[in-house]
Amino acid sequence: MRYILVVFAATVACIYAQSFKCPPKDGQYEDPVQCDKFYECVDGRATERLCPDGLVFDPTIRKINKCDQPFNVDCGNREELQPPRGNNLCPRRNGFFAHPDPAVCNVFYNCIEGEANEITCTAGLHFDEYTGTCVWPNDAGRQGCNPGANKKLKDGFTCPKDQKTDEAGQVVAHPKYAHPTDCQRFYVCLNGVEPRDLGCQVGEVYNEETERCDAPENVPGCEDWYKETTMAATRSSVLAAMLLLIPAAIVDAQFKCPKNRGQFEDPVQCDKYYVCDEGEATEKLCPDGLVFDPTIKLVNKCDQPFNVDCGDRFELQPAQGTTDYCPRKNGFFSHPDPSICNVFYSCINGEELEMSCTGGLHFDEKSGTCVWPDVAAREGCGSNANKKLNDGFQCPKETRYDKNGQVITHPNYPHPSDCSQFYYCLNGIEPRLGKCDAKMVYNEDLQRCDDPENVPE
């Protein structure tokens, strides 16, 4: 019976694809009723396709891969979707989803092929599935949120109840605290209640007196911090170099499984691990950009670097990223323009998804989320604002919204005299001149290039 149903479904899909009439031009075209279904037209023949579960088809995207997150796509009347194939944390295999506990409003999950990566909003913000990002609570409009939920880090640190004051007696909004054993790391309590584990850049240590990162010689007790870690790193690097000269099979043979079965970290490389079966070790690598966390109780122990303490496992596999937006194939990365601090990219298998922080926040790669500018401590932000093109065009100061009331990240504007050209403002502040393909003109109503007969003169 099941075989008959599969054959029937395949037959129906084939008939429907044959009934879809391809436009004269080869390309990819949306299904009229299902938002995650599309057709590839080649020489007038249509082949039915589905986006990965959780993504939907956007015919306006100029890339080959036109499947995107639902909050970036206007499906219109295409309301149907394929059946979900998710789990508890990932209702669909791909996408951004709220924590299953409705009281936990500041935590959400970035799901990649059914694997959940936990992300925490910056203090005071709530996750909004409608926009796929963290927003102010009144914008999210979620009920039953418990502001005291999830306030302890993995190492047990919680923010002290006593308020911290500065020299003038003013309450410190985001107090910092030194790590008890690691000179390079420190804690920040966002709004005094939400703890974050952060770290200084390599070569610096945290100075508790000045509450900022400083040279080791200025911090008593941490003067020799990098002498010790450098020696350890050197030993690890030498060992790693020696291991590269040894065939993988010999390395596997040299690794001694602590238990007969399980997954165990490599001692020097943070994204390498070993799968032990009956005492035999097989070397594995996490997807590029992720690292191995032996403390995770899930089968997939590869996670985002900001969630994992690699300790002395300094080495990583060579980066496989092919674009400026995705230095590695997976992860969260800052905009390549250092002046654009409120935009970042979620990279999944080398495909970037652009995301914007809510108003006033900057992206912080160390924590993988949007934080207050003083916590991110990035320099040169906003230096591309008020730029002017050679013809005098500047990006309007007014924020532009789509018909759903969402901020348009890169708004478009028609050229005053050339129908084939248009302006677009990167992140709303940096003007660029765009040009439609040959025999196409810009359609202001659709915000994209279109056939001339569809655009009134």
Side-chain angles (χ1 to χ4, degrees):
M1 181 65 180
R2 182 179 297 176
Y3 175 76
I4 295 174
L5 289 174
V6 171
V7 172
F8 176 75
T11 304
V12 170
C14 181
I15 293 173
Y16 199 89
Q18 290 176 353
S19 67
F20 180 82
K21 293 183 179 180
C22 289
K25 188 177 180 181
D26 288 352
Q28 300 176 2
Y29 299 93
E30 69 270 29
D31 182 82
V33 296
Q34 185 169 329
C35 198
D36 55 4
K37 183 190 292 185
F38 63 100
Y39 300 92
E40 288 186 350
C41 289
V42 179
D43 296 331
R45 298 189 63 178
T47 302
E48 182 181 306
R49 305 288 187 191
L50 280 176
C51 290
D53 179 38
L55 306 183
V56 294
F57 183 77
D58 185 355
T60 67
I61 294 179
R62 290 181 142 187
K63 300 178 182 178
I64 295 176
N65 180 11
K66 299 181 184 293
C67 295
D68 201 353
Q69 298 288 345
F71 50 78
N72 287 332
V73 182
D74 181 8
C75 285
N77 295 323
R78 298 180 293 143
E79 298 176 353
E80 295 184 12
L81 294 172
Q82 61 183 294
R85 297 185 290 114
N87 52 52
N88 182 42
L89 298 179
C90 299
R92 289 188 177 271
R93 288 182 63 82
N94 299 278
F96 294 81
F97 302 100
H99 194 285
D101 183 347
V104 183
C105 296
N106 66 325
V107 174
F108 64 101
Y109 295 92
N110 175 19
C111 294
I112 305 171
E113 290 302 320
E115 295 293 337
N117 295 306
E118 184 176 290
I119 304 173
T120 302
C121 296
T122 197
L125 302 185
H126 290 170
F127 176 68
D128 176 32
E129 280 195 353
Y130 188 70
T131 60
T133 188
C134 299
V135 300
W136 302 112
N138 59 333
D139 293 330
R142 298 176 61 178
Q143 303 295 322
C145 298
N146 178 10
N150 279 19
K151 299 300 180 184
K152 182 182 287 188
L153 297 180
K154 290 182 180 179
D155 63 4
F157 176 81
T158 57
C159 293
K161 294 182 180 180
D162 298 331
Q163 289 185 328
K164 201 170 187 178
T165 57
D166 59 21
E167 295 178 353
Q170 300 297 313
V171 174
V172 179
H174 313 296
K176 300 174 184 176
Y177 301 91
H179 193 280
T181 59
D182 192 328
C183 286
Q184 189 180 358
R185 292 163 59 191
F186 60 96
Y187 302 107
V188 173
C189 288
L190 300 176
N191 291 323
V193 296
E194 186 172 333
R196 293 290 173 87
D197 187 358
L198 300 179
C200 300
Q201 65 183 8
V202 176
E204 294 183 339
V205 296
Y206 181 69
N207 189 326
E208 192 170 7
E209 292 186 3
T210 62
E211 294 201 325
R212 65 179 59 189
C213 295
D214 201 349
E217 57 267 23
N218 297 331
V219 183
C222 293
E223 301 93 332
D224 298 329
W225 179 254
Y226 283 100
K227 292 181 182 178
E228 297 173 2
T229 55
T230 300
M231 290 177 64
T234 301
R235 288 194 296 268
S236 298
S237 299
V238 171
L239 177 59
M242 293 174 63
L243 291 176
L244 289 174
L245 301 176
I246 304 174
I250 298 178
V251 174
D252 293 349
Q254 289 183 342
F255 180 82
K256 294 182 179 181
C257 293
K259 297 180 181 179
N260 280 344
R261 294 180 182 275
Q263 299 177 26
F264 305 95
E265 70 269 29
D266 183 83
V268 295
Q269 185 169 329
C270 198
D271 54 5
K272 182 191 291 185
Y273 62 100
Y274 298 91
V275 176
C276 291
D277 186 12
E278 298 297 333
E280 295 292 328
T282 302
E283 181 183 309
K284 301 286 186 181
L285 280 176
C286 290
D288 179 41
L290 305 183
V291 294
F292 184 77
D293 186 353
T295 67
I296 295 179
K297 293 185 177 181
L298 302 174
V299 174
N300 180 10
K301 300 181 185 294
C302 295
D303 200 355
Q304 299 289 345
F306 50 78
N307 288 331
V308 182
D309 180 8
C310 286
D312 294 331
R313 297 180 291 146
F314 298 110
E315 302 291 332
L316 292 172
Q317 62 183 293
Q320 301 172 27
T322 57
T323 68
D324 291 338
Y325 303 109
C326 297
R328 289 189 177 271
K329 296 193 71 171
N330 299 279
F332 295 84
F333 303 100
S334 301
H335 194 287
D337 185 340
S339 69
I340 301 174
C341 297
N342 66 323
V343 174
F344 63 100
Y345 295 89
S346 169
C347 294
I348 304 171
N349 293 327
E351 292 288 335
E352 76 271 7
L353 169 66
E354 185 174 278
M355 305 185 71
S356 297
C357 297
T358 197
L361 301 184
H362 289 172
F363 177 69
D364 175 39
E365 280 196 359
K366 294 177 183 177
S367 61
T369 187
C370 298
V371 300
W372 302 109
D374 61 333
V375 176
R378 297 176 60 178
E379 298 180 353
C381 299
S383 59
N384 278 331
N386 299 323
K387 273 193 172 181
K388 183 183 292 187
L389 297 181
N390 291 335
D391 62 5
F393 176 81
Q394 281 183 300
C395 294
K397 294 182 179 180
E398 295 79 12
T399 303
R400 199 164 188 179
Y401 301 88
D402 61 20
K403 64 181 183 181
N404 296 318
Q406 301 301 309
V407 175
I408 300 175
T409 306
H410 312 295
N412 296 340
Y413 301 90
H415 194 280
S417 59
D418 190 334
C419 288
S420 68
Q421 294 187 356
F422 61 95
Y423 302 107
Y424 58 99
C425 291
L426 294 176
N427 305 300
I429 60 172
E430 185 172 347
R432 297 285 177 86
L433 180 63
K435 187 173 180 62
C436 296
D437 293 338
K439 298 182 180 179
M440 301 281 281
V441 296
Y442 180 71
N443 187 325
E444 187 174 7
D445 291 334
L446 299 179
Q447 293 272 301
R448 58 185 171 92
C449 296
D450 198 358
D451 294 322
E453 57 266 25
N454 297 330
V455 182
E457 292 186 5

